[in-house]
Amino acid sequence: MQEDILVKLGEAVQAADKNHAVELVTRGLNLGMRATDLVERACIPAMQNLGDLWEEGEIFLPELMLSAETMKAVMAILTPRMATEQKEHSTSARIVIGTVQGDIHDIGKSLVAAMLEAAGFQVRDLGADVPLEKFCEEAAAFQAQIVCLSALLTTTMMGQKTLIDMLAQRELRQKVKVMVGGAPVSRRWAEEIGADGYGENAIEAVRVARQLIQGN
Ligand code: B12
């Protein structure tokens, strides 16, 4: 039954069948399934699959946008649940997160923000297409220990490097750690630009954020 829900949820996200996806998520939660499992085992693989289909020219941008909307509707239900599932590791550390300017992809960033919040971090989510200046201002105002930068386009990855340079120029670099991620971002890129941490997915993001805080 639970496996069946995971399969059908993945299909509903891919087919952009928002009502059905919401219904399946509600049913899964009522059956006692973990929100984290519904996200990681159904929704994320579906988005990855869509990316592959798009790359192969099997689907087009409007279809992708509808699936992204479906994913957001599902995440609106699952995010608060994920928070209550993981509250025990609470920390008072503060994190500012956003997708860098020029880049509107926010699904992965929101997932990382939700998982960090679920892990007990205080998270200020600046959204997508965030001016680099704003990251600096908010990091200082919020007294963040970590700034998380998401980039999904090879062209916007450079914003991650620019932000690290900007923090250094403003003498904020010693005060705040920088974590980077997003589909085209790699550990190698993170090292190259002098970031303090990299996470391939939301789970790793939480693990790395905890390490950075402990290392403080
Ligand atoms: C959904 C999607 C869209 C949606 C976005 C909806 C939204 N609100 O986010 C829409 C349809 C709007 C869209 C638009 C575009 N897209 Co698009 N999109 C995708 C797609 C299929 C999936 C992205 C996604 O949501 N994945 C699911 C999430 C959960 O995964 P994720 O984002 O990778 O995040 C995970 C990790 O990367 C990591 N992570 C993410 N951020 C961070 C941050 C930190 C700090 C850490 C530690 C970890 C971390 O954890 C997350 C959770 O596990 C990708 C394909 C792909 N393979 O990524 C293309 C893709 C990213 N898009 C692409 C392109 C080209 C575009 C457009 C330019 C298309 C166009 N011609 O207009 C525009 C972008 C306009 C702009 N200025 O930003 C290309 C980028 C190519 C490139 N190399 O630059 C891709 C790779 C598709 C492709 N293969 O060609 N897109």
Side-chain angles (χ1 to χ4, degrees), residues 146-147 149 163-164 167 173 176-180 195-197 212:
I146 305 178
V147 173
L149 304 170
L163 188 88
I164 290 175
L167 288 171
R173 190 65 188 96
V176 65
K177 306 274 186 202
V178 178
M179 264 172 71
V180 294
D196 303 290
L212 290 178

Side-chain angles (χ1 to χ4, degrees), residues 19-106:
N19 292 342
H20 192 40
V22 166
E23 186 193 315
L24 286 162
V25 161
T26 312
R27 208 187 304 160
L29 291 174
N30 287 341
L31 282 171
M33 292 176 78
R34 294 176 71 240
T36 315
D37 284 338
L38 290 162
V39 173
E40 280 171 15
R41 295 179 56 200
C43 300
I44 294 185
M47 290 308 290
Q48 277 162 351
N49 211 7
L50 281 165
D52 294 343
L53 289 172
W54 190 27
E55 228 164 315
E56 289 157 15
E58 295 287 328
I59 58 165
F60 300 98
L61 203 56
E63 292 158 278
L64 200 56
M65 288 175 82
L66 288 174
S67 285
E69 284 303 313
T70 303
M71 175 84 172
K72 284 189 161 194
V74 160
M75 287 306 294
I77 302 172
L78 294 176
T79 303
R81 293 294 193 121
M82 293 197 307
T84 46
E85 279 168 11
Q86 301 196 20
K87 268 290 185 239
E88 68 272 20
H89 299 291
S90 229
T91 149
S92 58
R94 287 177 298 275
I95 295 183
V96 163
I97 186 168
T99 307
V100 298
Q101 66 188 28
D103 196 329
I104 60 164
H105 295 89
D106 67 353

Side-chain angles (χ1 to χ4, degrees), residues 161-176:
K161 178 177 174 0
T162 310
L163 188 88
I164 290 175
D165 297 341
M166 280 171 76
L167 288 171
Q169 279 158 16
R170 283 151 210 237
E171 295 179 359
L172 283 167
R173 190 65 188 96
Q174 305 306 318
K175 294 188 188 138
V176 65

Side-chain angles (χ1 to χ4, degrees), residues 150-166:
S150 182
L152 265 286
L153 301 171
T154 39
T155 46
T156 56
M157 277 167 69
M158 195 46 79
Q160 297 177 329
K161 178 177 174 0
T162 310
L163 188 88
I164 290 175
D165 297 341
M166 280 171 76

